Amino acid sequence: RRISRQEGMRAVLGQLAAVAALLAAGSSRAAVVEKIDPVWPQRGYDATHHARSPFQGPHLSGEVQAQWTSPYGKGFSDYPVINTDGYIMAIDDAGHVFGVGFDPYSGDSTVHIEADTRYATPPKGSPALGGGQLMVPVANCTVLFFDSIKGEEQGSLLVPCLLQEPTGDIVMIDMPGNMNAMLTYAGDAVALYTWEDGKIPAAQPTCMFAAGKRISGVVVGKQSGQAPVAYASSMDGNIYAISIPDCLEKWQFPVNKAIQEDPAVSRDGAFVFINVEGKGTYKIDASTGQSVWVRPEDDVEGGASIVVGQDGTLYVGSRMGRFFAFEPELGDKLWEYDVGEAVESQAVIDSGGYVFFVDAGGRIHCLDAVSGALEWDLETNTAISGGLAIDLDHALYAVTQDGRFLRIVGHQPPALIPRVQPISQAVWSQRGGGPQHSGMSRYLGPPEAGDGKASIVWTFKAQHELMEGAVASADGLLVVPDVTGLVYGVDSVTGKQLWLFNVEDGYVFGEAGISPDSKRAYIGTSSGRIIALDVNTGGLLWNVELGNAIQGSVTVSPTDQVYVACEDSNVYGYNGVNGNPVAKLSTGDGESLFPPVILFDGSTVVVGSSDGFVRAYSAGSHTLRWRYQTKGPVVEVPCVHPATGVVFVGAAQELIAINPSTGDRLWTVPASGELGASPGCGNKHALLYIGGYDGAMHAFDQRDGGERWEFPTADRITSNPVIDKDSERLYVTSTDGTLYVLDASTGDLIWKQFVAKLMHGDPVLLADRSVVVTAADGNIMAKVAYVPPPPQPPAPQPSGDGAGVAVGVTFLLLAVGYVGGGFAYSYWRHGEVSHPHHGFWSNLGSRVSGCCSSCMSRLSPKSVPAGYASSAGPTSSVHSSSAAAATPAPSGGGAGGYGAL
């Protein structure tokens, strides 16, 4: 049944080889998705026609609202599609293409595209979107191509149709890179075409297949590790399995009755389902074409095509006014819903567990997909054409036979989904501390107790200005770039430079990123390169040329995917281990000057853009999940709450809270001044913190956006706030040169330390309870730590024999090279356990090599023990310290006491 021609056979074979190679690449690199899919690209959502949306529909409140447009054209008779920009598109019965958008706030509609196909015959198939194009099937076996954004016609394609019938639905097949593939069917012919974005396919199809009679519908399934397979239902009473990309028949399954419905494919591609009026419902093995089970027609009695739920459940409507759910293994009925009107169009399923369909009378129904219980229904008082589509703003869309577009919206956002914080070995892996940019640290800062004070324990001077903050590996190695493209590796203990890397061909406009295993550091450059360095040595591991300047910092996901924002209005993702591409995410018409954030469960990548939209993409497939339109440019990196996953966004002079599951607005408040940094949020006190160009740190209630307190500094705040492990202390740097430590609940000042003017980077809390900050003025990075007062030993207490000798006391001297370059001692009596406060430590400023101690002399009552340490500083050095202490003699008059170093 494969039709081939001698003419052009070499070209066809060349196309087959190219398509096979692309499909193989798609199978081995399934995660590589370098184009943004439309919201609802084709009938049934994708090539499987399972009609499962990645978005939630209007279902939770039970209160829905219908928004209508004025009538356009001569009415619609088929399924709509929804483009990347959110416009719903359809073809009217006079051959006009319309693209209509709804304002997300008011519901007002505007016509974005209106194009004439020049074919007055009503279309018999649904359009499809892909590669920035709209493919429109029209009469005379023709497919027209339009620019999906501008509406400009790009060309036409005459497709095979041996019975000279109108073209059916366009079926788009996922392809890697900038390639597109579609199946057309007209009459009894199915044809495969491939082409690059923005172009028109060659007149000769890649391959073609012909059935005995008219094709009714085509879907595509794919089993793991195998090439796709097309399944075509035909009026000759057969279902055909057609291999792609060669259009060879794999098998045919006879039902001995004309089939008018589309097949359906299971999620894993292993089974095909078909509902045939007058025969029943069939389950077919996709590999062999053998029947698995047949359910008689006594229930379904013909009607719509089957759709397959997320868990494999089959949903189908009946011409007898009923709607069913069947389990897929044996075909047993799970539930039945009495509609009251015939159901002839395909249902759609949202990501929240609800199924939507329209009956012949124009009433739209929303049912719980598990129980079949009615959530809501809505009378439209008009005939709905084809089926429904779900947009990422959680609205339901339809077109009507009287020429109108219909949008159905709900009001109550879904409940928030708790998130689990992923673990990274790095101390401070990227801007904001982690891929959620929440500003939460896993450590505490310097303590405030005692008579000591916070002081600068070392400073590192870079060759040029430090406009960005540092990041820290698991070992506390600090990575920081300067404005000229020099990247420094600095020991956090000593403040000494360990390595230096020169970008050479550009600058670095943002913080670096550290891999989850703390082995690699990632840098983005103004020359459009992503560079991976060895954290310990600064050696180059890999680099990727993007060709466009990278704006802002690097975001590293929990799975070590590296994301950067480019000035070409895209966010790019790469595998951190080998530099292979994993994603290309569009930021619309604007630039994303800052990196994206990843929700704590790793499911979603959130990107803010200067076009005013916040977009959320699936972290796995990188398809668009939702978008939220703000009232102005998104000027800073969003942050994600560490417990609830709520997305907080600063846009122009507005602060917004967004539901992470749906993209719905939870609240919005105007900012008192221009925002200068990203927000930060802790686990306690339900407060959100953000600084601004007004020089103040503001705290807002995370639940309603109400401002709770404000702390003024002497200049602008352009860095992100950092919250300590207990969410009790807030660390803030200002361009006035001061590090401020505030009570996170009240905003009261705890202590402050002047370092240097023009502090722009985030503070970094280290494991030894110190803080590292950077400043452009003086090109310095400084470590601030609590320095205790020197111990003041009490006056010796003479014992009965006049000798100040400690009896029965054990001393332990420790060389602790990773704690401030210090050495310490502890002491305890025989048989006891050392108390944490029995001892002191001394900071030498460089890593300790070794230590020893002397003993107390019984010959001299005034002798005291001493400790000696050698350190690995710039020059060899030996340090010694000693002090004396004694305690009152124990009862009985015996000599005794505690010794002190």
Side-chain angles (χ1 to χ4, degrees), residues 1-3 188-191 207-211 240 242 247-249:
R1 294 184 179 278
R2 179 186 179 212
I3 298 177
D188 68 342
V190 178
C207 66
M208 187 173 68
F209 172 87
Y240 296 94
I242 308 164
C247 295
L248 293 176
E249 179 183 311

Side-chain angles (χ1 to χ4, degrees), residues 40 44 64 68 99 111 201 211 224 251 272 295 322 343 372 439 511 530 544 568 579 583 643 652 798 880 901:
W40 194 272
V64 293
W68 296 88
V111 178
S224 178
W251 50 258
V272 179
R295 184 176 183 86
R322 293 184 290 174
V343 180
E511 284 86 348
I530 302 178
V544 175
D568 65 352
S880 65
L901 178 65

Side-chain angles (χ1 to χ4, degrees), residues 667-820:
W667 52 258
T668 179
V669 296
S672 58
E674 186 177 355
L675 302 178
S678 300
C681 47
N683 280 322
K684 290 184 181 179
H685 313 305
L687 292 180
L688 179 73
Y689 311 99
I690 188 167
Y693 288 151
D694 62 354
M697 177 58 59
H698 303 268
F700 298 88
D701 194 306
Q702 296 175 4
R703 296 161 293 191
D704 57 18
E707 187 165 3
R708 295 296 175 258
W709 55 256
E710 173 184 326
F711 178 84
T713 71
D715 206 342
R716 297 177 301 170
I717 297 177
T718 60
S719 60
N720 304 328
V722 173
I723 305 101
D724 74 357
K725 175 184 176 182
D726 291 343
S727 294
E728 296 292 354
R729 296 290 179 263
L730 191 68
Y731 293 80
V732 179
T733 57
S734 169
T735 54
D736 67 8
T738 303
L739 168 66
Y740 297 91
V741 182
L742 310 179
D743 185 298
S745 175
T746 65
D748 294 334
L749 178 66
I750 305 297
W751 58 267
K752 62 182 180 179
Q753 172 67 48
F754 180 82
V755 178
K757 292 282 189 179
L758 303 180
M759 297 171 66
H760 295 287
D762 301 349
V764 177
L765 304 186
L766 300 178
D768 61 359
R769 299 197 68 174
S770 63
V771 188
V772 172
V773 294
T774 58
D777 186 16
N779 315 336
I780 70 167
M781 178 166 58
K783 180 175 180 177
V784 179
Y786 173 77
V787 178
Q792 299 296 323
Q797 297 287 333
S799 60
D801 58 4
V805 179
V807 178
V809 178
T810 300
F811 293 89
L812 176 66
L813 192 62
L814 304 173
V816 190
Y818 59 87
V819 181

Side-chain angles (χ1 to χ4, degrees), residues 594-628:
F594 304 98
V597 295
I598 292 96
L599 293 187
F600 276 156
D601 61 358
S603 67
T604 309
V605 181
V606 181
V607 183
S609 172
S610 61
D611 67 356
F613 280 96
V614 179
R615 295 172 174 86
Y617 298 89
S618 167
S621 66
H622 298 105
T623 55
L624 196 61
R625 292 186 59 183
W626 54 257
R627 66 179 176 187
Y628 176 86

Side-chain angles (χ1 to χ4, degrees), residues 561-582:
Q561 292 186 354
V562 183
Y563 293 91
V564 294
C566 281
E567 65 177 9
D568 65 352
S569 301
N570 289 301
V571 170
Y572 295 88
Y574 288 85
N575 184 304
V577 176
N578 52 35
N580 289 337
V582 296

